[in-house]
Amino acid sequence: EAQVTQNPRYLITVTGKKLTVTCSQNMNHEYMSWYRQDPGLGLRQIYYSMNVEVTDKGDVPEGYKVSRKEKRNFPLILESPSPNQTSLYFCASSLSLGQASYEQYFGPGTRLTVT
Amino acid sequence: AQSVSQHNHHVILSEAASLELGCNYSYGGTVNLFWYVQYPGQHLQLLLKYFSGDPLVKGIKGFEAEFIKSKFSFNLRKPSVQWSDTAEYFCAVNAGEYGNKLVFGAGTILRVKS
């Protein structure tokens, strides 16, 4: 089954404790992206990757890191989480941009709470 | 600055009522437009998309949207809503001039009363 998986689905952590949220897709998609969803703000793009070893900042990259060493994986790293990073995080992937094939497939979400 | 505006944050309708959710964007060049839906407790799913051609786009579950270039709008419509349409709806825009980003509106929460 074609899908985007994220782990963990729920995470409660404390300020300053490094964490990684994994994202994996099995559709051989080139483009992957991370979003955070906050009430009243919709989804805001954190980072995206056009392909392996190619990453770029979205609209809210502060406090986050990403890497794309393999095509299927795109982990999101919070080196020193803070309470303002409490949010619902979505990973997404798509074949490409600017073409009719450009439909983002979203993972199930990771609800992160930083205390 | 890039922006996507959705006019209503909350909409409450009775079953069988008609729906129109507004979406406006602020990009001047070529745009790719999307509507996504998020049912309670689920992840986002694509409802419909516009890249070029016929400005009236039909999507899944009886939804359609009309691209009006002169108004920078991409409003979502459905002639008769059902209780199962209760969800949050997001408009999203990919503008070529801003590279590879996809910008979402703040979302509209639709509640359909049975």
Side-chain angles (χ1 to χ4, degrees):
Chain A
E1 180 191 353
Q3 59 182 349
V4 178
T5 56
Q6 295 178 227
N7 281 293
R9 295 288 313 279
Y10 301 90
L11 180 60
I12 301 175
T13 190
V14 296
T15 299
K17 185 176 181 183
K18 181 179 178 180
L19 66 92
T20 299
V21 184
T22 64
C23 172
S24 183
Q25 50 93 4
N26 62 1
M27 296 169 278
N28 202 34
H29 284 170
E30 293 178 348
Y31 184 90
M32 296 186 74
S33 182
W34 276 103
Y35 299 88
R36 58 177 291 173
Q37 182 181 13
D38 301 289
L41 297 177
L43 278 80
R44 293 178 292 167
Q45 196 169 34
I46 303 171
Y47 270 94
Y48 62 92
S49 169
M50 296 296 292
N51 213 325
V52 175
E53 302 292 3
V54 181
T55 63
D56 210 344
K57 296 178 181 178
D59 291 318
V60 288
E62 295 77 21
Y64 304 95
K65 283 176 57 177
V66 292
S67 69
R68 187 90 182 272
K69 293 184 169 55
E70 305 166 281
K71 199 171 187 179
R72 62 183 291 126
N73 296 323
F74 190 46
L76 179 69
I77 303 156
L78 285 72
E79 295 268 4
S80 183
S82 62
N84 64 12
Q85 294 179 296
T86 292
S87 187
L88 179 59
Y89 291 86
F90 287 100
C91 180
S93 73
S94 63
L95 267 173
S96 63
L97 277 183
Q99 306 296 325
S101 58
Y102 179 56
E103 170 190 342
Q104 293 216 338
Y105 293 82
F106 283 82
T110 295
R111 187 166 293 282
L112 172 65
T113 302
V114 183
T115 61
Chain B
Q2 34 185 320
S3 72
V4 178
S5 299
Q6 291 183 238
H7 311 301
N8 307 98
H9 190 53
H10 282 95
V11 173
I12 301 174
L13 295 173
S14 297
E15 276 194 308
S18 64
L19 169 72
E20 180 159 3
L21 301 182
C23 173
N24 285 88
Y25 58 92
S26 61
Y27 310 101
T30 302
V31 290
N32 300 316
L33 302 160
F34 308 83
W35 276 97
Y36 282 86
V37 61
Q38 186 178 31
Y39 297 103
Q42 295 187 27
H43 57 88
L44 278 81
Q45 304 168 43
L46 182 69
L47 265 183
L48 47 79
K49 59 189 177 185
Y50 171 81
F51 285 85
S52 63
D54 188 344
L56 185 62
V57 179
K58 294 196 184 298
I60 61 172
K61 305 186 180 186
F63 286 91
E64 64 178 32
E66 185 175 13
F67 171 51
I68 303 180
K69 189 174 182 179
S70 61
K71 294 186 178 179
F72 298 89
S73 70
F74 190 55
N75 292 354
L76 181 71
R77 299 195 292 247
K78 186 171 184 179
S80 176
V81 295
Q82 301 171 310
W83 177 82
S84 57
D85 292 324
T86 294
E88 189 162 13
Y89 293 81
F90 294 94
C91 180
V93 178
N94 168 236
E97 65 202 69
Y98 290 107
N100 303 309
K101 297 180 183 178
L102 183 63
V103 180
F104 282 80
T108 297
I109 298 170
L110 170 66
R111 185 165 80 87
V112 180
K113 300 184 294 183
S114 57

